[in-house]
């Protein structure tokens, strides 16, 4: 025992004495086995861009544009800008594919205000523009107090509009499994027009701190943090600027807020892998209509991040949008992120009759 300890110590000393550059090896996850589990879907809704989070013993999904089907299975109007659903876990702990819930897309799940062209469920305005209140990331679960779950979502639409902060609450004792979390609008203009939409691009909680990533239309991803209990209080936010945390909010084009390689540029998901002891981002390249999944990892959320690598490519749909909204689902494993695996998904867009259908292939990745 003593000998082993001495050996390790001398090895460390040698490194310190002889190496001039840090002995840091690139960490490059590779896939051992990728299995397409199936289509994660609510059979009553044609919709895209779903993300999930764990609430209690179920998964909760929020999605973007959602439509009903006619009796021939063809999507029809109206469009709801968002919808939400539950899904269960199977007896063996694997995630169930069928989504359900009383929302059924029959209202926009994230409600519109009168100033957002709310006389229709898609937020379409008479001048041809649209308030697309779309969740880019699943809700951030901040607390369970007396069995009531509180979650937040920041929603935005392009380019650089104001960002609305929504609060979701759900009582884990609710008997009817179809009841969805209640949504309230905390602040329609939480991040002002022309500022960085922190939290819309990605979010993750560790040690009671919420880390919120923002990506405005210039494509630069930057980071803010706030104690989980203070999400609604802007004065409690700190921002990563010039390699340090600061209380003053940076401007959209500041040169010192970018974190190199913190993503591959497009939509995706952040989480902390407790198996790897690494921060992880999984998602897509900037402008992409293919199911090419990229991953990057870091020891610290502020970096340095590895260069993103393509680790898996799914089947692209036959319609012109092909594949998009690539996501990871750390909540779809009952053991959280403490195992060497992850579920990923994307929106697949396939031609059908005179229109197109959306599906959400769910893929189980086992890493080497
Ligand atoms: C890959 O995973 C599937 C499903 O989990 C399993 O049935 C199969 O045996 C695995 N294959 C390998 C080579 O591990
Ligand atoms: C960051 O850069 C902006 C200009 O791009 C500058 O105004 C600001 O002072 C810088 N902040 C820090 C903390 O260096
Ligand atoms: C990260 O990004 C920078 C700038 O884009 C690049 O030069 C570098 O090679 C990347 N990789 C790592 C591991 O830092």
């Amino acid at each position: 025992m003593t000998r082993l300890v001495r050996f390790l110590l001398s090895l460390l000393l040698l490194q310190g004495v002889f190496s001039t550059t840090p002995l840091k090896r690139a960490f490059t996850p590779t896939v051992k086995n990728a299995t397409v589990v199936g289509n994660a879907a609510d059979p009553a809704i044609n919709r895209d861009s779903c993300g999930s989070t764990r609430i209690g013993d179920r998964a909760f999904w929020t999605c973007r544009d959602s439509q009903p089907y006619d009796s021939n299975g063809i999507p029809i109007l109206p469009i709801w800008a968002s919808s939400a659903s539950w899904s269960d876990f199977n007896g063996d702990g694997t995630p169930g594919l069928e989504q359900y819930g009383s929302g059924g897309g029959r209202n926009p799940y994230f409600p519109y205000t009168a100033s957002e062209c709310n006389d229709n469920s898609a937020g379409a305005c008479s001048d041809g523009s649209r308030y697309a209140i779309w969740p880019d990331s699943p809700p951030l679960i901040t607390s369970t107090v007396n069995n009531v779950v509180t979650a937040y979502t920041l929603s935005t639409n392009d380019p650089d509009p104001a960002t609305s902060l929504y609060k979701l609450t759900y009582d884990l004792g609710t008997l009817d499994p179809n009841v969805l979390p209640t949504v309230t609008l905390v602040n329609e203009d939480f991040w002002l027009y022309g500022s960085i939409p922190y939290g819309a691009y990605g979010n993750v909680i560790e040690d009671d701190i919420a880390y919120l990533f923002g990506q405005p239309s210039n494509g630069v991803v930057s980071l803010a943090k706030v104690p989980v209990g203070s999400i609604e209080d802007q004065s409690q936010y700190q921002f990563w600027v010039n390699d340090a945390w600061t209380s003053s909010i940076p401007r959209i084009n500041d040169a010192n807020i970018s974190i190199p390689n913190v993503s591959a540029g497009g939509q995706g998901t952040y989480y902390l892998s407790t198996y790897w002891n690494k921060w992880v981002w999984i998602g897509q390249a900037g402008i992409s209509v293919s199911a090419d999944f990229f991953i990057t990892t870091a020891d610290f959320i502020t970096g340095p991040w590895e260069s993103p690598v393509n680790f898996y490519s799914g089947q692209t749909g036959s319609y012109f949008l092909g594949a998009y909204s690539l996501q990871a689902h750390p909540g779809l494993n009952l053991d959280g992120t403490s195992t060497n695996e992850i579920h990923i998904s994307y929106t697949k867009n396939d031609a059908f009759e005179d229109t197109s259908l959306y599906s959400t292939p769910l893929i189980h990745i086992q890493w080497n």
Side-chain angles (χ1 to χ4, degrees):
M1 204 59 204
T2 330
R3 252 216 197 116
L4 181 63
V5 170
R6 264 217 300 274
F7 178 66
L8 288 174
L9 274 176
S10 60
L11 198 70
L12 286 172
L13 283 174
L14 280 177
Q15 286 186 0
V17 171
F18 291 110
S19 72
T20 48
T21 50
L23 286 176
K24 191 175 176 301
R25 280 249 193 86
F27 177 75
T28 309
T30 54
V31 174
K32 177 176 164 197
N33 188 5
T35 310
V36 179
V37 181
N39 179 23
D42 182 325
I45 312 176
N46 184 52
R47 63 180 167 190
D48 73 343
S49 302
C50 297
S52 76
T53 191
R54 198 50 179 289
I55 297 183
D57 57 4
R58 296 188 289 172
F60 176 65
W61 300 75
T62 53
C63 310
R64 291 181 178 172
D65 286 349
S66 305
Q67 295 172 269
Y69 298 102
D70 70 10
S71 55
N72 298 316
I74 293 171
I76 51 173
L77 294 175
I79 288 173
W80 308 285
S82 60
S83 62
S85 298
W86 295 107
S87 67
D88 297 330
F89 285 87
N90 301 316
D92 63 359
T94 57
L97 291 170
E98 181 160 338
Q99 301 166 339
Y100 61 92
S102 65
R106 271 147 207 96
N107 295 296
Y109 183 65
F110 296 102
Y112 281 93
T113 66
S115 64
E116 295 167 330
C117 301
N118 69 346
D119 63 351
N120 63 91
S121 59
C125 309
S126 52
D127 66 358
S129 66
R130 180 178 175 199
Y131 285 92
I133 301 191
W134 285 344
D136 282 347
S137 301
L140 179 71
I141 307 297
T142 56
S143 64
T144 307
V145 179
N146 298 332
N147 242 17
V148 175
V149 175
T150 306
Y152 290 92
T153 285
L154 291 104
S155 254
T156 183
N157 63 327
D158 286 341
D160 307 323
T163 303
S164 305
L165 178 64
Y166 292 91
K167 178 179 184 172
L168 286 63
T169 47
Y170 181 73
D171 188 332
L172 291 170
T174 307
L175 292 178
D176 180 352
N178 289 307
V179 171
L180 298 171
T182 305
V183 187
T184 49
L185 178 60
V186 175
N187 187 341
E188 187 175 342
D189 296 336
F190 188 73
W191 302 118
L192 297 177
Y193 180 87
S195 63
I196 301 166
Y198 287 108
Y201 185 66
N203 57 56
V204 51
I205 290 176
E206 181 61 16
D207 288 338
D208 288 333
I209 302 289
Y211 295 93
L212 303 170
F213 291 92
Q215 185 193 43
S217 62
N218 64 15
V220 172
V221 177
S222 57
L223 178 62
K225 68 172 182 178
V226 63
V228 286
S230 303
I231 297 261
E232 296 179 29
D233 181 358
Q234 274 215 13
S235 70
Q236 299 302 305
Y237 281 71
Q238 291 197 292
F239 308 91
W240 187 251
V241 180
N242 220 11
D243 288 330
W245 293 109
T246 171
S247 298
S248 30
I249 187 165
R251 285 160 306 172
I252 213 164
N253 287 317
D254 281 359
N256 40 23
I257 58 173
S258 161
I259 302 175
N261 308 312
V262 70
S263 79
Q267 212 184 332
T269 309
Y270 288 95
Y271 63 96
L272 179 70
S273 164
T274 55
Y275 184 86
W276 289 337
N277 201 19
K278 297 267 186 195
W279 296 94
V280 182
W281 175 89
I282 287 176
Q284 68 186 54
I287 304 290
S288 165
V289 288
S290 64
D292 295 330
F293 285 83
F294 287 81
I295 186 168
T296 176
T297 61
D299 292 328
F300 303 97
I301 197 165
T302 50
W305 288 78
E306 304 277 356
S307 301
V309 292
N310 174 212
F311 67 91
Y312 174 81
S313 294
Q315 198 192 355
T316 296
S318 58
Y319 206 57
F320 75 102
L321 283 174
Y324 60 100
S325 285
L326 278 53
Q327 298 271 335
H329 300 272
L332 288 185
N333 191 314
L334 289 177
D335 294 320
T337 63
S338 66
T339 62
N340 202 16
E341 61 194 316
I342 189 74
H343 286 89
I344 58 175
S345 74
Y346 61 99
T347 293
K348 185 165 173 278
N349 186 212
D350 285 294
F352 181 71
E353 307 278 319
D354 292 334
T355 175
S356 74
L357 291 178
Y358 297 96
S359 58
T360 308
L362 185 69
I363 300 124
H364 182 223
I365 301 288
Q366 292 173 279
W367 305 105
N368 285 306

